[in-house]
Amino acid sequence: MAGELTQNVIKRIIRQVGLACAAQGQSLSETLVAFMVKAVVLDPRNDFNMDRILTENDMQDLIQLCVTRLLDTTNPSLSTIKMQVYFDMNYANRDELLSEQERVLEGKLAPLVRAITESSPRVQGEMENVYQKIVTYVLLRSGLGSQTDIEPVREVTAALQSVFPQTEMITFISLSKKDKEQQLKDLAMLVTGIRLFNKQCQRGGSGIDDLPGILNEAIPSATRTLDERLNSCQLLAHRYTALLESMQENPQRFSQLSFSKLKEALFNVRQYEAFLCILQSNAITSAQEVESLDVQFEAAMMVLKNIVQDKTSIESKEVFPLFMEVSKLWTGFQDEMLLLSFLTNMADSLQQFLEIQSQLFPEEMLTSLLEGVTVKSDVERIKETMGTRVNVSDFKNQEWLFPETTDNFDQLLIQYHGFCAHSIGVKGITLPGNPAIGILKHKEKYYVFSSKEAAYIFAQDPDKFIQMNIEKAKKYAELIQLLELRHQFEYLVPHAQDKRTSRGSLKPLPKRDSGTQTDTHILPPTIVRSYEWNEWELRRKAIKLANLRRKLTHAMQTDLSHMRRENCTQVYLPKDAGTQTKRDNSSNVPKPQIFLQGLRGGSSPTTHMVTVDLTRPLDET
């Protein structure tokens, strides 16, 4: 709202609208109320100026309008918006649903896993207690039987003892916590594979349902139900479309019929059809997956039977991988059961949003109104225009795409959910577009049309008609999701999801902290560090090298280089040398012995010093 309605004001309005509806006995989700508040402000017919701050009177008027629309049970537009909110908040694709199921299972088993991995049994009784917990974990992990049923517990215990006897508990306890968790998962898969093989051999399998047989019956039944509902809503959409076209041609004949209500009913049916197509596509994918699992499961069982036969002992490396493969395939069957149940529940829940059709336009009323009116299906409308196409030479500045000239023509992302781009804004109805007429590429977006004439009119001024479609969506907020206009109303619908799934966009955008790091220099450096441009520096290096020729090789070690690399010192070892003369001779001289007498004085005042030489003569030595 151009920044004028702050978050606090919006929350206040939403809270007051919710309280007012609750006082009238209608408990509505905050998401639905928030969407309705923004849709009412967006509708130009309500005359809310989005460029100025709403006054207190404006907010009271807004609250009253929202409450009135939310409590109007005869409004097809409200039913469509409720359907979109419900589908957006509850639908999940295969990967999301299976990952959520795995997360829930891990959460349920987490206390048991902690009790097993964090225990340190020391006596036999404690060992047996931990082993029994492992049996319980394997049973719950596989989902094949109840822990209160004695037969499945016995089968799991027997199978576990064959691959993990109690004597190996000492080794198991010595493992790290992570290794224990992994071994528990492996043991669960091995035991599950053994039990499935025993069931196949009719030697056990208590508490194990025949999932392949159940799925092979349930999926075709669910697909038929979806097809019937899809055909029914498509027929209703075709009849509404024919009535709307007749009302535009002859308004007097249908004066008692509300044109606006009929359009809203058409949008309601078209949205229901889009959601059913998503569920039908998922059901077809499940059928293909089950068919593939059936083939792989039978092949794996056949290989196991050929290996095992009547042998009393088999090497574990031969059969353990096969048991684990069988367990994985069975988990696939369990996943398909979960997906089928989810799709069935979603389809049943969507039915409630179509109940208003029979109230506003009963079958008898439609039959009488359609007298003399030709009802055309989407397929028939496309067949009528298959022989016509746009003449490219009539448009100098427009780019047209055709099947024979465009790669991946069927994979182009068509705007407005494949409906005619001209009829939405001009006629206010959703007609199927025919790509064979030609796909207009305008500003990197692709548009289809229901007729050649509509294509020519739209191509004259595409921006004008695109804006008309946006204005139409402002009046009918349910068109924002039906026509995939989320990028045009980001302030109304805060995030965009995958267009291929046609999912809504009312959930809050998930956020998380993240960071990235890049290399400073991606390419290897090309700088030559040894290059010198200064000739005096080169002269200095030359002198240094010349001086090194007369130096010893040596090395030194500092505090910074200590313990960082090997250091060595090289020296010249001393050499042994000696001198030889002709004869040996020696000489010796007497040691001089000279004494002084009278230095200390005497009785006379005059000192008389006498020198006494006691050195022996040379000849006496």
Side-chain angles (χ1 to χ4, degrees), residues 9 15 71-72 111 138 164 179 226 240 274 279 286 293 303 307 321 346 372 386 488 535 543 554 589 620:
V9 174
R15 183 170 58 254
L71 296 179
D72 185 6
V138 171
F164 183 71
D179 292 338
L226 288 174
Y240 287 163
L279 299 180
S286 292
L293 289 173
V303 174
I307 293 177
M346 283 293 298
M386 286 302 292
Q488 301 285 351
E535 61 179 304
I543 294 174
H554 67 281
V589 295
E620 294 180 0

Side-chain angles (χ1 to χ4, degrees), residues 37 42 48 98 194 231 235 338 429 471 612:
V37 169
L42 186 67
F48 285 103
L98 296 179
I194 293 172
N231 292 333
L235 176 60
L338 173 68
I429 58 179
E471 294 299 324
V612 181

